[in-house]
Amino acid sequence: MADALELDALWEDFHRVVNMTSAELADWLRVRDAGQSTEPLPDDAGPPLGQHVLAILQKRRTDLTGDDLRAMREVVDLVTSQADLENEPRAGDTRLRHRLMTVGHDPLKPQP
């Protein structure tokens, strides 16, 4: 496990880049996977990393596992490498926006 300072920094970074609520993310994952005639079960919607982010959002910091920490690092790295957090919102790149939304980051959502 990470030491307390690393965990605090990762927790802050993760919650800075994941700007969608668990309800918003769950809704997006269901919409993203819905087809014309079928829709996955709510617990099966979205890719594994998106599902993992959703599970992390529903946990307390003290309940995180090693797998959670790896997923959090992956999300922070993905979002910070793909998104321009300083100059958001960005319009025009729908595929990038949807990819980032799958892990809980909506580039067009106003920052607090």
Side-chain angles (χ1 to χ4, degrees):
M1 273 297 212
D3 69 16
L5 290 176
E6 277 183 65
L7 180 58
D8 289 345
L10 180 58
W11 181 263
E12 294 298 320
D13 287 345
F14 178 79
H15 286 284
R16 177 179 51 87
V17 301
V18 175
N19 64 357
M20 296 170 70
T21 65
S22 58
E24 290 170 331
L25 179 55
D27 289 346
W28 169 251
L29 293 176
R30 281 193 301 274
V31 166
R32 180 189 170 277
D33 276 5
Q36 285 186 345
S37 61
T38 63
E39 184 173 329
L41 294 172
D43 292 341
D44 295 335
L49 184 57
Q51 291 175 8
H52 202 155
V53 169
L54 186 57
I56 292 168
L57 289 174
Q58 297 167 348
K59 288 185 175 187
R60 296 175 303 178
R61 187 185 325 206
T62 57
D63 296 331
L64 296 174
T65 66
D67 285 342
D68 294 336
L69 298 178
R70 281 187 289 281
M72 291 168 70
R73 284 186 195 99
E74 184 177 347
V75 169
V76 169
D77 291 346
L78 174 70
V79 172
T80 56
S81 70
Q82 298 283 317
D84 183 359
L85 297 176
E86 298 297 319
N87 297 313
E88 286 183 339
R90 278 187 359 199
D93 194 345
T94 302
R95 282 196 302 213
L96 174 60
R97 178 179 183 228
H98 289 177
R99 185 177 329 119
L100 292 172
M101 286 175 67
T102 301
V103 295
H105 179 78
D106 184 351
L108 299 182
K109 186 174 183 178
Q111 300 299 318

